[in-house]
Amino acid sequence: MERNHSFQYHPKAFHVFGPRHISSPGWRELISSSWKNESYKRVVMACFVQSAYLLELDRQENRYGLETALAPQWWTPFKYKLVEPLVDERDGSIFAAVLEWDQAAALADFIPIRPTGAPKVVLAIRGTLLKNPTIRRDVEDDLRYLAWESLKGSFRFERLLTALKSIIFNQQGSKNVSITGHSLGAGFALEVYKALAAEGTYVEAHLFNPPSVSLAMSYRILSGKAGFVWKRFKSMLPSNSEFHSKSIAEDAAESTESRITSELKQMLPMPHLYVNTSDYICCYYNYPDGVQNNSFNIGNKEKEVKPGGNALTGVKLFVVSKAKQRFLEAHRLKQWWSDDLELQMALNNSMLISRQLNSLYTIQPPKQTQG
């Protein structure tokens, strides 16, 4: 009894630590699906990532079963169930969770079909846990990203990619699959998203506080500043007729490519990135791609950037619009289900997003998937 009492009032219990004003799915979902609301979807995805953290903490603290484990509290209210925890065989730690729509639980609440917009399967990936059983492998991947701005080559990357391919091709079909993660987990989710997109397969992605700090990125920003000064200097030089005719042809080709790419992006699920400018781990995602006052130079011309996200990639970048915060507060996952969250969509093109994702939409058209 004493153990159950402490479990009910654990600081990470869903009803203590979780979202305050969010309802569980009911029969009304058949009329108006909450999953069509981007705020609702953001909150649920953040809760799924929290469950991935708690799966590992439950393991470390020997909490098993519905009576003592904390992780199930974070997926059951939304009618999902755990299909498979992904385990790092090197240290036995759980670093991700495969969650699936629980049709039996839904039927018990008179929901005969999955609501519109709700994914069949979600792959949720936790970030770094600074505890003895996991700290070595977690920090190892943190340093990998810091050095190379990539998580390819990591054991966990290969495990995640294999798991998601299995889900997509053997079970559900890509349009009903979502991937989400926080911090290091968001870095893995983005890396897996890019690997699949390079093959023409696209999934929905929700990335909270994705890592952006690396040695390569720092160098690139310094180089970009120098390059911007040089371009401004060149724009002041007189242009000859040969350059002018070449510029017109290049602009026409760019316009055609931009139109085709824009049409393709409307057919594909674009990643949702959630960043806080006070979080130095993800702040570079809000660093503009040579943008000044919503425009950027092409030769001697000014090209307007349309508002509503990152025009070059179609990625939805959401930025916390609060005043300056401490790092730990700005990096925490809890902020993404908080009631007082104030978000705004970034209007400028992000240098990091453009570099990482823009080429994906011209590699191959999306594969036809079922589901």
Side-chain angles (χ1 to χ4, degrees), residues 259-273:
R259 177 180 57 80
I260 295 173
T261 303
S262 178
E263 292 173 355
L264 177 61
K265 283 185 281 192
Q266 291 177 9
M267 301 163 52
L268 305 174
M270 296 294 104
H272 295 63
L273 274 67

Side-chain angles (χ1 to χ4, degrees), residues 5-303:
H5 179 78
S6 62
F7 157 76
Q8 291 295 332
Y9 293 95
H10 192 282
K12 292 298 177 67
F14 182 79
H15 72 279
V16 175
F17 192 62
R20 290 285 182 268
H21 305 291
I22 189 166
S23 58
S24 298
W27 62 268
R28 290 183 177 84
E29 294 293 317
L30 302 177
I31 302 172
S32 179
S33 174
S34 300
W35 283 91
K36 292 182 179 180
N37 184 298
E38 286 196 346
S39 294
Y40 177 87
K41 185 175 288 189
R42 181 197 73 244
V43 168
V44 177
M45 289 294 170
C47 289
F48 288 165
V49 177
Q50 178 69 8
S51 75
Y53 277 104
L54 289 172
L55 276 171
E56 172 55 21
L57 292 176
D58 282 344
R59 183 191 74 87
Q60 292 182 18
E61 298 170 19
N62 296 314
R63 293 190 296 258
Y64 299 104
L66 295 178
E67 293 186 355
T68 56
L70 295 171
Q73 299 179 17
W74 292 80
W75 63 66
T76 52
F78 309 107
K79 309 307 177 191
Y80 280 78
K81 62 183 178 181
L82 178 66
V83 176
E84 179 188 7
L86 298 189
V87 177
D88 190 326
E89 298 169 359
R90 299 168 300 175
D91 59 10
S93 64
I94 299 171
F95 63 92
V98 179
L99 305 175
E100 185 179 62
W101 173 256
D102 190 345
Q103 188 61 49
L107 284 171
D109 282 343
F110 309 103
I111 311 174
I113 59 174
R114 182 166 43 89
T116 303
K120 285 184 179 178
V121 177
V122 178
L123 176 57
I125 314 166
R126 68 166 176 84
T128 303
L129 277 175
L130 298 178
K131 291 204 167 192
N132 285 333
T134 59
I135 187 171
R136 178 186 172 189
R137 298 303 181 184
D138 287 0
V139 172
E140 182 181 285
D141 284 325
D142 288 330
L143 294 176
R144 183 191 302 274
Y145 186 89
L146 178 63
W148 304 108
E149 200 180 315
S150 173
L151 291 166
K152 288 184 178 180
S154 167
F155 169 87
R156 294 179 181 180
F157 168 76
E158 298 297 338
R159 182 77 176 86
L160 289 164
L161 184 59
T162 300
L164 200 54
K165 283 185 175 181
S166 175
I167 293 168
I168 292 170
F169 298 113
N170 300 329
Q171 299 180 41
Q172 306 299 332
S174 65
K175 74 175 184 178
N176 294 314
V177 176
S178 294
I179 186 170
T180 183
H182 172 248
S183 192
L184 177 62
F188 275 118
L190 182 58
E191 205 75 67
V192 170
Y193 176 93
K194 291 194 297 181
L196 289 173
E199 299 176 0
T201 301
Y202 295 85
V203 297
E204 186 174 315
H206 293 264
L207 314 175
F208 302 99
N209 301 87
S212 65
V213 176
S214 67
L215 299 178
M217 187 63 192
S218 300
Y219 173 78
R220 196 172 294 112
I221 286 179
L222 292 175
S223 300
K225 289 180 178 178
F228 176 75
V229 172
W230 172 241
K231 287 179 181 179
R232 295 287 293 189
F233 173 74
K234 286 202 301 183
S235 68
M236 292 185 264
L237 298 176
S239 59
N240 56 37
S241 57
E242 180 183 355
F243 174 82
H244 182 67
S245 60
K246 181 180 178 182
S247 178
I248 293 176
E250 287 177 345
D251 284 352
E254 183 185 77
S255 176
T256 302
E257 181 181 355
S258 176
R259 177 180 57 80
I260 295 173
T261 303
S262 178
E263 292 173 355
L264 177 61
K265 283 185 281 192
Q266 291 177 9
M267 301 163 52
L268 305 174
M270 296 294 104
H272 295 63
L273 274 67
Y274 306 93
V275 304
N276 188 319
T277 52
S278 297
D279 176 8
Y280 63 78
I281 289 180
C282 66
C283 63
Y284 280 159
Y285 275 105
N286 201 40
Y287 195 92
D289 186 11
V291 178
Q292 299 291 332
N293 299 323
N294 281 352
S295 63
F296 58 97
N297 288 323
I298 299 183
N300 295 329
K301 298 183 178 181
E302 293 281 315
K303 182 172 180 179

Side-chain angles (χ1 to χ4, degrees), residues 283-336:
C283 63
Y284 280 159
Y285 275 105
N286 201 40
Y287 195 92
D289 186 11
V291 178
Q292 299 291 332
N293 299 323
N294 281 352
S295 63
F296 58 97
N297 288 323
I298 299 183
N300 295 329
K301 298 183 178 181
E302 293 281 315
K303 182 172 180 179
E304 292 298 319
V305 178
K306 296 180 180 180
N310 286 264
L312 296 180
T313 62
V315 173
K316 293 183 178 181
L317 176 64
F318 297 95
V319 182
V320 171
S321 57
K322 282 186 175 181
K324 190 72 175 176
Q325 295 174 287
R326 294 180 179 179
F327 163 70
L328 290 179
E329 184 181 3
H331 190 66
R332 64 180 183 171
L333 179 61
K334 183 181 186 295
Q335 68 183 306
W336 303 111

